[in-house]
Amino acid sequence: MGFEDLKYDFPKMPEEMRTMIEKEVNRQVKIEQPKFTNNKKTAGKVLAASVAVVILLGTTTFAGVSIYRLQSRQVAEHGVNVKIADHTDQASGTDAVSAEPVKLEDIPDVTMKVGYLPDGMVQTEEGKYSYEEALNKGGVSICFYRMDTGDGQFDMLHEDVLSSEDISLNGNEGVYLEYPQLYKDEIMFNQRIYVAFTDVHYVMEMYAASDVEKEEALKIAENITLLPVEESGSIAGAKDQGLVRAWNWSDYLESKKEQDKLEESDDEALAAAYSSTVAKEAMQHTHAVGESFSVENKAAGENKGLTAKVSRVQVSDDLSLLEPSLIDEDLKKETDGNGRLRPATIQYIKEGGLDALSEVVKSREVAQKLVYVTVEYTNTGSSELKAVLFVGSLARIVEDGAQMRMSSGWSYEEPSDADEWTYAANRGLSSFSDMMYYDVRGGERNNNYIAAIQPGETAAVHMAWIVTEEELDRLYVSLDTYGGAGEFTDTALDMGYVDIRQ
């Protein structure tokens, strides 16, 4: 989500967590916009924080004979299976029964109480906490599953596990998993904690970053409690007390099933759902620099009569084109003592799995450039337009035979059959497609909104991105507020990308 620094790497994780992390990255670059994850490479390969797992276990009894608790099992050398399993009540001498689905109406709405945070850690938004000195760049992120299929159905396999150990927190059994931290100088989410609240049929999944000590992460998890709304007050009053928003486990399983089907299928219709490539004619609405085009949100009935054009494109080796007061710390860190942009490091990673750990095979440096674009928004309608959202996404697109192919963003390069590495990670800010800079502020949060545009008036916005020198000949801008970088979306294609290749 800076994406709060935009520099995180994440091992494989459930799709819902990938979406959460992507939204977190977008938030960190201070951009409010819906994002979609339809690219096959992105959906199948998005890497999540190095993972540590602590699973706290609540216990509950079903039919008088089965107690469900969280447990782990080693799978191959570097795989760990984490699940809630039923255990026969030895006193009864009766065989354990299978978990039964739970009716959603029998699963209460709950509020979350966080009983402990380390010194200096604060809440940044719902379910997210980080240290004030590294605000939005680490800490912990929490999400929940609602076990509508039965507590005993929770089952997750973790790969690329560096080490694991069984733990006990506040009388609850658990498992701690550690994943390799490939980039020692960066904050990575290398810990994960699960807590099974079987009394209310919820499972918590907490990601903890490398700036949180293991002992502190465990203490945070140990002091999290869930209370049914009827015990904590009315739903109207529960929102301020931390009303939990959870994903139904049945929905997660269905999403995973569809994801696996799409990734494994050779069917062209299914593969089309992941639109990292399109036929050349799909880009027929592409615009040149200086060309005006409509950016109305017709589906939502917003910004009627609004047009835009990219009027100028500039490329620089430094940040001199930017307003100094608007340059954030992340951008400043990308420059050397002379103010010039540092090169990006491209690291070639051999991805781990059940039998091996991820490792860096080789690395190289590539010069970085600032791309600075002037966008002019004009109100051609007869009514004032207020709180006009603007978003600039930078796509890297190349011609590939009869198709146009877009870099998915998860890998800087594609490996050949002879390559030992699996993906190439760009360690610079040039790995991101959302605008790193903009000079107009508005809206409730004083971010990427134009406060108002009168009929016949034009408002100019300057946007900037960091790219590698090798990418200058493949750059396209999308002004679609629903995104349009890393994947081809229908709305971006209909609006048209702007060709700013150098």
Side-chain angles (χ1 to χ4, degrees):
M1 29 148 261
F3 169 120
E4 307 162 36
D5 191 37
L6 301 180
K7 287 185 169 184
Y8 306 149
D9 280 283
F10 307 102
K12 292 180 179 178
M13 60 172 68
E15 184 65 21
E16 87 292 344
M17 194 62 196
R18 299 175 192 167
T19 301
M20 185 191 80
I21 294 296
E22 289 187 9
K23 287 181 179 178
E24 183 73 358
V25 172
N26 293 331
R27 190 187 71 73
Q28 292 179 14
V29 278
K30 308 177 183 69
I31 296 175
E32 287 188 341
Q33 59 174 315
K35 297 295 287 184
F36 301 94
T37 310
N38 290 333
N39 180 276
K40 185 171 184 178
K41 296 285 188 179
T42 303
K45 294 282 188 178
V46 170
L47 304 175
S50 296
V51 180
V53 173
V54 179
I55 299 165
L56 308 186
L57 165 76
T59 60
T60 191
T61 302
F62 290 84
V65 296
S66 287
I67 296 177
Y68 289 87
R69 68 173 185 232
L70 211 54
Q71 64 180 22
S72 68
R73 179 174 62 89
Q74 192 74 29
V75 180
E77 186 174 357
H78 295 289
V80 174
N81 179 244
V82 177
K83 65 185 299 181
I84 297 178
D86 59 329
H87 294 261
T88 300
D89 184 343
Q90 298 298 322
S92 71
T94 310
D95 289 339
V97 297
S98 300
E100 295 293 333
V102 181
K103 294 181 180 180
L104 280 176
E105 57 264 31
D106 293 333
I107 301 178
D109 290 313
V110 296
T111 60
M112 179 180 71
K113 179 181 178 181
V114 181
Y116 172 80
L117 288 176
D119 290 341
M121 182 174 284
V122 297
Q123 182 173 5
T124 56
E125 60 181 272
E126 182 180 348
K128 294 177 174 53
Y129 306 83
S130 62
Y131 289 107
E132 290 181 292
E133 66 268 19
L135 202 61
N136 300 320
K137 297 182 180 180
V140 298
S141 293
I142 301 169
C143 64
F144 287 89
Y145 301 100
R146 184 185 291 108
M147 298 307 299
D148 59 328
T149 60
D151 298 275
Q153 295 299 309
F154 185 82
D155 190 335
M156 282 198 179
L157 177 64
H158 298 271
E159 301 180 349
D160 201 17
V161 178
L162 177 62
S163 65
S164 65
E165 72 175 285
D166 292 338
I167 60 172
S168 179
L169 297 177
N170 197 24
N172 295 316
E173 300 169 5
V175 180
Y176 182 88
L177 304 180
E178 180 185 4
Y179 283 66
Q181 186 174 353
L182 298 177
Y183 318 114
K184 303 298 184 182
D185 58 338
E186 297 183 23
I187 296 174
M188 298 176 62
F189 283 88
N190 63 337
Q191 304 173 79
R192 195 181 304 181
I193 296 174
Y194 293 99
V195 181
F197 297 95
T198 54
D199 56 334
V200 287
H201 312 297
Y202 284 80
V203 174
M204 182 186 78
E205 184 174 35
M206 184 176 88
Y207 287 75
S210 53
D211 65 340
V212 181
E213 295 292 334
K214 173 184 174 182
E215 292 74 15
E216 294 283 49
L218 297 180
K219 192 171 181 180
I220 294 171
E222 183 179 20
N223 286 277
I224 288 176
T225 55
L226 297 184
L227 292 174
V229 168
E230 56 266 27
E231 295 180 21
S232 59
S234 66
I235 288 183
K239 183 176 181 181
D240 294 333
Q241 301 174 36
L243 185 66
V244 167
R245 299 178 183 179
W247 193 10
N248 291 337
W249 185 251
S250 59
D251 293 335
Y252 164 74
L253 293 178
E254 185 62 29
S255 175
K256 186 176 185 299
K257 179 180 177 181
E258 291 300 316
Q259 178 72 26
D260 292 343
K261 183 179 179 181
L262 286 166
E263 290 187 3
E264 295 172 3
S265 176
D266 293 327
D267 187 280
E268 291 185 2
L270 290 176
Y274 293 115
S275 49
S276 60
T277 61
V278 296
K280 286 183 179 179
E281 52 266 29
M283 291 190 66
Q284 60 183 311
H285 301 303
T286 298
H287 308 288
V289 173
E291 178 184 347
S292 295
F293 55 96
S294 174
V295 289
E296 287 185 27
N297 187 338
K298 296 180 180 179
E302 297 174 344
N303 298 334
K304 185 176 182 179
L306 185 66
T307 66
K309 70 176 177 181
V310 174
S311 59
R312 189 180 185 188
V313 180
Q314 297 169 267
V315 178
S316 174
D317 294 322
D318 54 34
L319 305 180
S320 59
L321 293 171
L322 309 183
E323 168 58 43
S325 63
L326 298 177
I327 301 176
D328 66 19
E329 291 303 313
D330 291 328
L331 280 170
K332 292 178 182 178
K333 290 177 182 177
E334 289 293 289
T335 61
D336 60 21
N338 297 317
R340 296 176 64 86
L341 287 167
R342 301 178 189 274
T345 299
I346 311 299
Q347 293 183 309
Y348 296 83
I349 312 299
K350 183 177 181 180
E351 193 174 12
L354 293 175
D355 297 305
L357 295 175
S358 296
E359 61 176 319
V360 178
V361 175
K362 62 178 181 178
S363 63
R364 68 184 178 96
E365 291 188 342
V366 183
Q368 292 190 120
K369 302 288 185 179
L370 177 82
V371 175
Y372 184 78
V373 167
T374 302
V375 183
E376 297 179 11
Y377 289 91
T378 300
N379 182 357
T380 66
S382 57
S383 302
E384 178 187 34
L385 299 177
K386 295 181 179 180
V388 177
L389 173 67
F390 62 87
V391 172
S393 301
L394 193 65
R396 285 78 163 170
I397 303 174
V398 296
E399 185 175 330
D400 186 4
Q403 294 184 314
M404 303 298 286
R405 177 171 53 82
M406 184 185 295
S407 170
S408 64
W410 77 273
S411 183
Y412 182 76
E413 297 176 36
E414 294 290 328
S416 68
D417 293 338
D419 286 320
E420 184 182 1
W421 51 276
T422 311
Y423 67 94
N426 181 347
R427 308 310 303 161
L429 286 184
S430 49
S431 61
F432 302 100
S433 58
D434 291 312
M435 53 192 179
M436 305 299 298
Y437 169 94
Y438 53 91
D439 63 356
V440 172
R441 298 288 195 277
E444 294 180 359
R445 299 185 181 181
N446 195 37
N447 54 356
N448 50 310
Y449 286 84
I450 302 170
I453 309 178
Q454 301 297 328
E457 184 181 13
T458 295
V461 178
H462 297 98
M463 308 174 184
W465 304 263
I466 304 295
V467 304
T468 65
E469 191 173 48
E470 299 171 341
E471 297 173 314
L472 290 173
D473 62 351
R474 63 189 73 170
L475 302 180
Y476 291 76
V477 170
S478 170
L479 299 180
D480 177 21
T481 56
Y482 287 95
E487 60 186 357
F488 289 106
T489 65
D490 290 340
T491 55
L493 287 168
D494 288 343
M495 180 178 291
Y497 292 85
V498 181
D499 185 351
I500 65 165
R501 291 176 294 175
Q502 303 297 299

